[in-house]
Every structure is written in C-alpha cells, then in structure tokens.
Amino acid sequence: TWQTVLSLIYMGLVCTGITMLLWNKSLSKNDASTCSLFFPVQVFVSAFFSSILLSETLGMAYFIGLALCTGGIVLNFYSKNDTTQISNNISC
C-alpha cells in the first residue's frame, strides 16, 4: 500500500539519513586514523540494540566477527603507538 511505501521512505531518509549525518559530522572533528576505529563500533551497537529491542539472536559468526574486529582495532591502536615511538627515536 502507499502507507507502507511512505513509511519505508521515511525510515530510509529521515531515520537513517539524519543519524548517518550526525554520525559523520561528529567523526569529522577527529583525525582520519581515529575515525576509522569507530566504524566497526557502529555495527556492534546496532546488533546489540537489535538483540535487545527486537529480540534477534546473535550467532557464533557475530561473536567471531566481533573478536576479529576488536583485535584489528587493538592492533591498530598499538601499532600507532609503536610508530610514534620509532619516529621519535629517529629524529633524536
């Protein structure tokens, strides 16, 4: 029906569009390397809320992906600190 089409357009444009606009605006205030660490967080938060609010089940694949993404974020964080330390040693 036309009500269904209008509600889908509303959810697509208003709900998703405004949240993505605010998300990207808030991330634009940080460096690109810092912003890249937050994009996996968006997926985890939405899956978390869908399991709570919509009673969806999270399977083993979700938790494996969560571990891989979290590991990538941690490795990126520590490699960034090591690179800064090495460049400080070279310039001295």
Side-chain angles (χ1 to χ4, degrees), residues 35-47:
C35 292
S36 67
L37 298 175
F38 285 103
F39 281 107
V41 174
Q42 183 179 19
V43 176
F44 300 140
V45 170
S46 63

Side-chain angles (χ1 to χ4, degrees), residues 50-61:
S50 68
S51 68
I52 291 176
L53 299 175
L54 302 175
S55 300
E56 292 184 4
T57 58
L58 301 176
M60 184 55 91

Side-chain angles (χ1 to χ4, degrees), residues 58-68:
L58 301 176
M60 184 55 91
Y62 171 78
F63 292 107
I64 291 172
L66 175 70
L68 290 173

Side-chain angles (χ1 to χ4, degrees), residues 7-87:
S7 65
L8 288 174
I9 291 172
Y10 172 76
M11 287 190 306
L13 292 177
V14 175
C15 299
T16 305
I18 290 176
T19 55
M20 289 304 292
L21 178 71
L22 292 174
W23 176 260
N24 290 330
K25 182 65 178 169
S26 63
L27 287 180
S28 70
K29 300 190 181 293
N30 295 318
D31 294 334
S33 61
T34 305
C35 292
S36 67
L37 298 175
F38 285 103
F39 281 107
V41 174
Q42 183 179 19
V43 176
F44 300 140
V45 170
S46 63
F48 175 73
F49 280 126
S50 68
S51 68
I52 291 176
L53 299 175
L54 302 175
S55 300
E56 292 184 4
T57 58
L58 301 176
M60 184 55 91
Y62 171 78
F63 292 107
I64 291 172
L66 175 70
L68 290 173
C69 288
T70 304
I73 292 170
V74 169
L75 286 175
N76 186 15
F77 178 73
Y78 285 119
S79 68
K80 185 177 176 182
N81 287 342
D82 291 341
T83 305
T84 305
Q85 188 177 23
I86 291 171
S87 66

